[in-house]
Each structure stands twice: as C-alpha cells, then as structure tokens.
Amino acid sequence: MVQCLLFNRAGQFGFVYRYKKGFDYQQKCGLVNVKLKWAKDRALDGVVAGERDVRAACILVSMISSTRQRHLPIYHLSRRRGQLGLPHDLKLSTFVRRYPSVFNESYVFDSGGTRVPCFGLAPEALELHREELNVFEENQMDIINRLRKLLMLTREWTLPLQTIDQLKWDLGLPYDYHASLIPYHPELFSLVNLPDNRVGLKLLSWDDELAVSELEKNATLQQNEEDMKHGCLAFPIGFTRGFGLKRKCMEWLKEWQRLPYTSPYTDASHLDPRTDVSEKRIVGVFHELLQLTIQKKTERKNVSNLRMPLALPQKFTKVFERHPGIFYLSKKNDTQTVVLREAYDRFKLLQRHPLVEIRERFASMLRKGLLDRSRGLYKTSEGSDLEHERLNDVYDDEMSDN
C-alpha cells in the first residue's frame, strides 16, 4: 500500500525558513545533486500493463465506425498503424483476430481479384462506441477546457497538432477532434501554420478562471495557511512500500518542499534553471499536465518534445527520476509511462472520468473475446478454419508500419 505523505508544516521537521518568492530564492538555492533510486510498484505497473491493447482497439473501433460501410480492409487499417502503438513485430491482422468479441472478419476482393481480409465491428462493440460518443457529447465542455488549459501551459498558447495527437488519448479527446470539436469553437481555437511548416492549434483567449493549478485548488484542504500566504505549496508525496530514503535525501526533500511554488500558468523566465526553485516549477508543470489527463498518466515520449512550447530547460524529464515520490515511471509495454502517484490508491483511480468506465468496459470485452477464442468458441466449421489459415498465409508479411 502506498503511504502518502504531505510535507507541509514548518514546525514538523524543525526547519526555520524565511518566506520569500521564487525570484529571491533563485540565487540562494542551487540545484542539489541528489539522486533517488527507482523502486518497482506492482500496483501501478498493473494500471499500465493492459493499456496498450485497449488503446489500440479503441482507435481501431473509431476508425472503422467512422466509415459509411462500418468495415475496412486490412490495408486501410495498416496505413494508420503508427497511431496504435503496437510492437513492430506484431502483425496488425494478428492483433485484430485476437479479439473476435470486438472485430468481425470478412473479406473483399481487391482490383486484382484477390481476397483481402476486411474487419467490421461486433454489435456489442458498436453499441459501446455509441455510448462513448454520448459521453463525449455530455462532457464536451470539460474536454474543451482540458485542451484550453494544455494550450495555456505553453509559451505562445500554441501546439503542433502532431503533439496534441500524441496526447489526445490521455486527455480524453475524440479520435477525430480536428473535425468534430475544433471547427465548432472558432471563438476559442484557430489552426495556424508554424515556422517548421507544420499545422498548429492556437488558443485565442486567456481565461483567468482556468489558469489555476490543481495544487492551488486543493491548497485550502491540504496546505498550511502560512505556507499558502507565502506561496510555499508542497506536493503530495508517496513511496512504494519498502522504499528506503536516506537521511540526506529526506532532509533535501523536506527543504525542497518548503521552497516557493511557481504556478505553471505564470511566466517563469526570471528563474535560474540551475536552481531547485526552477526544478520545483518544472515538477509543477508536469504535475498539472498529468492532472489534465483523465487517467493521470502518459508515456514519457509524449512529453519529450514539449521543451520549447513549455519553455523548459535541457533534460527537463530528469525530474521524473529525481522525484519518485511524486511520479512513478512504469517500464511496462516496452516503454516508460509516467504516473501521478497521488491519483491512485494501489490499482484504484481516485477521480474517475466518465470515459474511464467506457475504457474499462472495452478492456473487459477484449478479455472475454481472448478467453472465448482460446476455448474455440469462434470456430464455426472446419472449412472456415482452413480459409482462415489460408488468409493468414497470404498475409504473413502484413506487418509494415505505414
């Protein structure tokens, strides 16, 4: 069980500090060279473990359901394979056939008269997708505000669409948000051409009510009144059971928590990047970014290209290793996923967005299909099995990531 600690009272640790703003601290609090070890957290690894297949399946369902015919041949799906995050050595057709409870297989003839596997949706999957669309509709303002706050974190209120696409699953954006969301809010968003010839999304207006971080919102419940008065907010801290923290590290962490907190929505250009105060600001940025995600986690590679938009120094993702009590780095699924510790009680997500339930039902449907397939419940006849094997042989090399 993760034990949550909140270092928020000066008298609790016997330290006496003068309360000063971040600008005054920057020349006095250099970046302390402290390295905390990584420790495995089985509960949070379990949260991450099944995510990849669920995400890939949901994206495929969105692709297929967006077509008029409600089915797509395998070569059309393969063109968007890069969005799925599947291992390169896994054939897309093999992945889809794992889950017959979600995907129905048929075939079409290509221009040369060759049979090509074609995949549609099972009635249960199509119905669940309709429920998902209703959730998007009912929570549209929440989704829009998440996107607005993400853009407000950036220096110019602008991000490339490619960067937003990497985060859209975590933010809970619709798969086709470019068409289903952005065009209907011209007063908020504008598509712009970036200097590198990419297309970006720009926020057109600032909202002071949105420019308040989750840490600041919760300050009245979690923080000491004197700390709030002087802007010295502390982050909730939790460690895996058995995590040993050396005395030197503990003392540094206590002192670091007492440093001034700089809101991620304010200009921090005056902070010296070589100081702990600046590092606390970086931690605050990613703390807020993870709070914007519906499951309080994202892959590390999704934020690696945010340095310039967020005005961060070099090697900014090192804060994930330096603060394992705030962030957990899971190494499941052959990648690194950053999880906000305070958002979970073991496996349980404490604040549940309506989309989380939909995704959990998709996950349950995938597990059921995989189990039924292993029992042979989807084999209808010997002839169909032979045909299925023949198609597998024809498309053995169908695995390229287009």
Side-chain angles (χ1 to χ4, degrees), residues 81-94:
R81 181 192 170 94
Q83 302 176 24
L84 305 180
L86 295 174
H88 293 293
D89 59 348
L90 175 63
K91 293 191 296 183
L92 182 56
S93 56
T94 300

Side-chain angles (χ1 to χ4, degrees), residues 146-147 149-151 153-154 159 163 167 170-171 213-214 261 264-265 281-300 302-306 310 312 316 320 327 338 340:
R146 288 173 189 271
L147 185 55
K149 286 172 73 75
L150 173 67
L151 295 173
L153 288 175
T154 66
L159 278 176
T163 301
L167 291 166
D170 300 314
L171 293 172
S213 69
E214 284 297 313
Y261 169 79
Y265 296 102
R281 189 257 173 182
I282 299 171
V283 170
V285 169
F286 287 112
H287 183 274
E288 181 69 4
L289 179 61
L290 290 174
Q291 288 283 5
L292 294 180
T293 64
I294 64 173
Q295 292 179 272
K296 315 307 178 190
K297 58 185 174 64
T298 190
E299 291 185 19
R300 185 174 186 167
N302 292 342
V303 300
S304 61
N305 58 352
L306 289 175
L310 297 179
L312 299 175
F316 60 94
F320 300 140
F327 310 108
V338 187
L340 188 62

Side-chain angles (χ1 to χ4, degrees), residues 130-155:
R130 291 193 184 103
E131 291 185 38
E132 182 182 38
L133 294 179
N134 290 335
V135 171
F136 283 132
E137 183 66 26
E138 294 169 0
N139 295 271
Q140 186 176 113
M141 203 63 232
D142 171 75
I143 294 170
I144 290 173
N145 285 340
R146 288 173 189 271
L147 185 55
R148 291 170 70 191
K149 286 172 73 75
L150 173 67
L151 295 173
M152 287 169 64
L153 288 175
T154 66
R155 182 166 44 188

